[in-house]
Structures are given as structure tokens and as C-alpha cells.
């Protein structure tokens, strides 16, 4: 939409040799016509859909000289203000009889009035602008729908991983609980130290699972750092392993012994690997091998 507005304004300025042009578009969320591109761009100029000026533009339905619009519709203060500020012509564009926006044109560099032929060219061009806007809006809506579908798929993947993680956390929690009870009962320092180590190891394991899960669900801007790709892969497998166990999928690692030092965003790369892993697990609902 921004590209359509920019191209339209530049075309009008070059074709009609005008000093200024301002592209207004209807913002549905505020029910206002606001300038989205112009030379010069004046963002303070905005009109509600029920504003008298907008209603006059809408009812006229074609490119019109502001002086003529004022004569036909009576003395309107907003039109007087626009004329005083150097605006000369307004051309609307419609989609399915709905006023989507309009373009204000300043005076020509020659200071001559717009000819009948020029007004007809403006009307023809406004139809092309409306068509371009219609396509831009369709593209925007499709992009939004695609993003919504992607987010829905991601949330479904998160749900599957969460189920696996919840199941997997029960095991270390059982070890932690048993170890804590042993520590309470036994006075032997050796056994107490051993049980305490179990508690710490299993707690770290749970923390690693939860952190990996949160990183997968948290979108953010990439931050490139130098890191070992093997660590990223290991954390990915930590996140995938609970779900793999539930499905009876064996994970076979083929990770080199030597460091794989690369410049990446480790969180986002882990998320990409996790997406691949989730897709692979979905393709093996009755077990298999994830290599």
C-alpha cells in the first residue's frame, strides 16, 4: 500500500508538473482519512469519514477543482482553508462504491488552471490507483492469513512439545523427591552428598528442558554471536527427546568430534532445528529413527 501511494504521488507530480500532492487513505481502525504519502507530507491533516469535506468529495465521485467544489456545494470553511494553502484539485478513488481515499493536488508550476483533458486523465488514473490498492489490500490480507497459519502451526508444535516435556519432567521430579527423602533419613555424609548431587543434576535437567521450551516459543530479533553449533544441536535434542520417547522414535546423533564454530543466533537456530525435528516426529507417529 505504501508503495502504491509513493508511486502515485511521484507520477502525478511528474506528469502534471505540480508543486505538491498528498495521498489520503481510510484507516478503518480510526475511521479517518489520513495522509500516508505526500510531497510535502502533512500528517496533521486528517478527516473523519463523516467530515463535510469527505462527504462532498464522496458525493462528487470524480476529480474536481476545489474552486468548483466550493461553488457547487456552498461556502465550506475546510475548502477555503485548502485553497488558501495552495491546494487546487481533489481526485477520489473508490472500490465497490466505497471511498477508500483521495489525492489532493497543488497548483501547477505554470500557475495555469487544470484543463478538461487533464481532469479526465486524473479520473482514469484514479481508477488504476483503485485497482492497484485493491490488489495491495488482497496481498496484505493474504500475508496476514499466512502469518496466522504459521503461528497456529507453531502453537500446535508447542502443545505437542509441552505434553512430552510434562511427561519427561515427572521422572527427574521422582528422583529429586526420593533423594530429598533419603537425605532426611540418612546421617551418612557420603550418602547425603550423593543424593544432593542427584538433586542438583536432575534440577539442572528440568531447568534445561524448560529454558529450551521457552526459547522455542519466544520470538525476538536475531543476535549473532560466535558459538559451537554442536551445543545448539544438543539442546535441540534435549527438547525433542521427551516427545520422541512417547512416539517410540529413536534419535541417532551424528555430531562431529571437532568444534563447529559459527556466527549465528543460537536461540533462533535452535528453534529452526526444533521445527525440523517436530516435523520429523509428526511424520513418524508409529515410531522410527530420527537421525
Amino acid at each position: 500500500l505504501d508503495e502504491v501511494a509513493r508511486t502515485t504521488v511521484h507520477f502525478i507530480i511528474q506528469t502534471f508538473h505540480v508543486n505538491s500532492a498528498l495521498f489520503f487513505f481510510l484507516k478503518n481502525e480510526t475511521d479517518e482519512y489520513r495522509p500516508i504519502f505526500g510531497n510535502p507530507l502533512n500528517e496533521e491533516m486528517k478527516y473523519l469519514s463523516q467530515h463535510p469535506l469527505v462527504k462532498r468529495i464522496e458525493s462528487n465521485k470524480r476529480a474536481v477543482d476545489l474552486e468548483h467544489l466550493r461553488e457547487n456545494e456552498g461556502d465550506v470553511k475546510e475548502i477555503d482553508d485548502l485553497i488558501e494553502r495552495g491546494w487546487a484539485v481533489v481526485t477520489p478513488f473508490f472500490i465497490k462504491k466505497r471511498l477508500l481515499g483521495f489525492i489532493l493536488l497543488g497548483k501547477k508550476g505554470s500557475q495555469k488552471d487544470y484543463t478538461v483533458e487533464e481532469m479526465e486523465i486524473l479520473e482514469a488514473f484514479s481508477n488504476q490507483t483503485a485497482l492497484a490498492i485493491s490488489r495491495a489490500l488482497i496481498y496484505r490480507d493474504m500475508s496476514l492469513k499466512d502469518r496466522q497459519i504459521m503461528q497456529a502451526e507453531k502453537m500446535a508444535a508447542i502443545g505437542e512439545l509441552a505434553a512430552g516435556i510434562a511427561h519427561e519432567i515427572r521422572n527427574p521430579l521422582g528422583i529429586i523427591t526420593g533423594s530429598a527423602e533419603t537425605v532426611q533419613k540418612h546421617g551418612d555424609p557420603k550418602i547425603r552428598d550423593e543424593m544432593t548431587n542427584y538433586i542438583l543434576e536432575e534440577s539442572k535437567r528440568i531447568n534445561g528442558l524448560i529454558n529450551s521450551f521457552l526459547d522455542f516459543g519466544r520470538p525476538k530479533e536475531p543476535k549473532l554471536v560466535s558459538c559451537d553449533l554442536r551445543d545448539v544441536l544438543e539442546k535441540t535434542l534435549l527438547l525433542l527427546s521427551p516427545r520422541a520417547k512417547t512416539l517410540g522414535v529413536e534419535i541417532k546423533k551424528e555430531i562431529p568430534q571437532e568444534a563447529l564454530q559459527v556466527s549465528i543466533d543460537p536461540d533462533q537456530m535452535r528453534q529452526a532445528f526444533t521445527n525440523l525435528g517436530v516435523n520429523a516426529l509428526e511424520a513418524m507417529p508409529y515410531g522410527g529413527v530420527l537421525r
Side-chain angles (χ1 to χ4, degrees):
L1 184 60
D2 292 338
E3 180 67 17
V4 171
R6 185 189 68 81
T7 303
T8 300
V9 169
H10 286 171
F11 175 84
I12 286 175
I13 288 175
Q14 293 171 10
T15 302
F16 297 95
H17 305 289
V18 297
N19 299 322
S20 53
L22 196 53
F23 190 107
F24 286 81
F25 187 75
L26 176 62
K27 300 288 185 178
N28 288 323
E29 60 273 14
T30 58
D31 196 33
E32 286 180 323
Y33 292 88
R34 295 185 177 183
I36 60 174
F37 195 87
N39 182 25
L41 179 61
N42 184 356
E43 294 181 350
E44 293 180 2
M45 293 175 65
K46 51 189 178 183
Y47 304 96
L48 287 169
S49 62
Q50 297 302 314
H51 192 282
L53 175 62
V54 173
K55 300 309 288 184
R56 284 166 173 76
I57 295 172
E58 192 173 19
S59 63
N60 195 70
K61 292 184 171 43
R62 55 189 305 177
V64 62
D65 188 291
L66 289 178
E67 293 277 4
H68 179 71
L69 189 66
R70 179 173 60 179
E71 290 171 7
N72 285 3
E73 302 292 344
D75 191 12
V76 180
K77 182 180 181 301
E78 288 77 10
I79 297 178
D80 287 335
D81 290 341
L82 289 174
I83 293 172
E84 287 177 11
R85 282 185 279 175
W87 298 106
V89 169
V90 60
T91 179
F93 44 87
F94 296 84
I95 294 181
K96 295 181 179 178
K97 299 182 179 180
R98 185 186 184 194
L99 179 66
L100 274 191
F102 54 90
I103 305 165
L104 279 177
L105 284 72
K107 294 179 180 178
K108 294 195 293 185
S110 64
Q111 297 301 309
K112 293 182 179 179
D113 293 336
Y114 286 81
T115 64
V116 173
E117 290 79 9
E118 286 173 332
M119 299 298 278
E120 289 175 349
I121 291 172
L122 273 174
E123 285 185 30
F125 183 66
S126 69
N127 292 333
Q128 295 300 316
T129 301
L131 180 60
I133 289 172
S134 177
R135 289 176 176 171
L137 293 177
I138 290 171
Y139 176 78
R140 185 188 67 183
D141 292 343
M142 287 176 61
S143 298
L144 177 61
K145 191 172 183 180
D146 287 343
R147 288 196 296 271
Q148 289 172 340
I149 291 172
M150 289 171 64
Q151 183 65 17
E153 290 176 347
K154 182 176 176 181
M155 294 307 295
I158 287 175
E160 289 188 9
L161 292 172
I165 288 171
H167 177 76
E168 184 70 9
I169 283 177
R170 288 196 185 101
N171 293 332
L173 279 178
I175 295 172
I176 289 171
T177 302
S179 300
E181 290 173 352
T182 303
V183 169
Q184 285 181 331
K185 293 176 183 177
H186 285 269
D188 188 340
K190 203 170 184 181
I191 294 178
R192 292 169 69 93
D193 286 345
E194 187 178 348
M195 294 300 105
T196 302
N197 286 334
Y198 280 144
I199 291 172
L200 291 173
E201 286 175 9
E202 296 303 315
S203 297
K204 286 180 181 177
R205 185 181 166 199
I206 291 174
N207 190 54
L209 280 168
I210 292 172
N211 284 338
S212 295
F213 179 70
L214 292 176
D215 286 340
F216 175 72
R218 186 186 300 124
K220 55 186 176 180
E221 290 299 314
K223 294 181 181 178
L224 300 182
V225 295
S226 178
C227 64
D228 191 343
L229 193 61
R230 296 178 303 170
D231 294 337
V232 177
L233 290 169
E234 289 288 2
K235 289 179 180 178
T236 301
L237 296 179
L238 177 66
L239 183 59
L240 292 172
S241 58
R243 182 64 179 162
K245 283 182 182 177
T246 303
L247 295 173
V249 172
E250 179 187 1
I251 295 179
K252 288 189 176 181
K253 295 189 289 185
E254 296 178 0
I255 300 177
Q257 294 286 336
E258 64 276 8
L260 295 172
Q261 210 68 24
V262 287
S263 178
I264 56 170
D265 182 318
D267 291 336
Q268 292 198 355
M269 189 60 71
R270 185 164 67 249
Q271 181 170 321
F273 288 148
T274 303
N275 287 337
L276 290 172
V278 168
N279 288 346
L281 294 177
E282 286 179 350
M284 297 183 287
Y286 306 109
V289 178
L290 175 61
R291 178 174 282 106

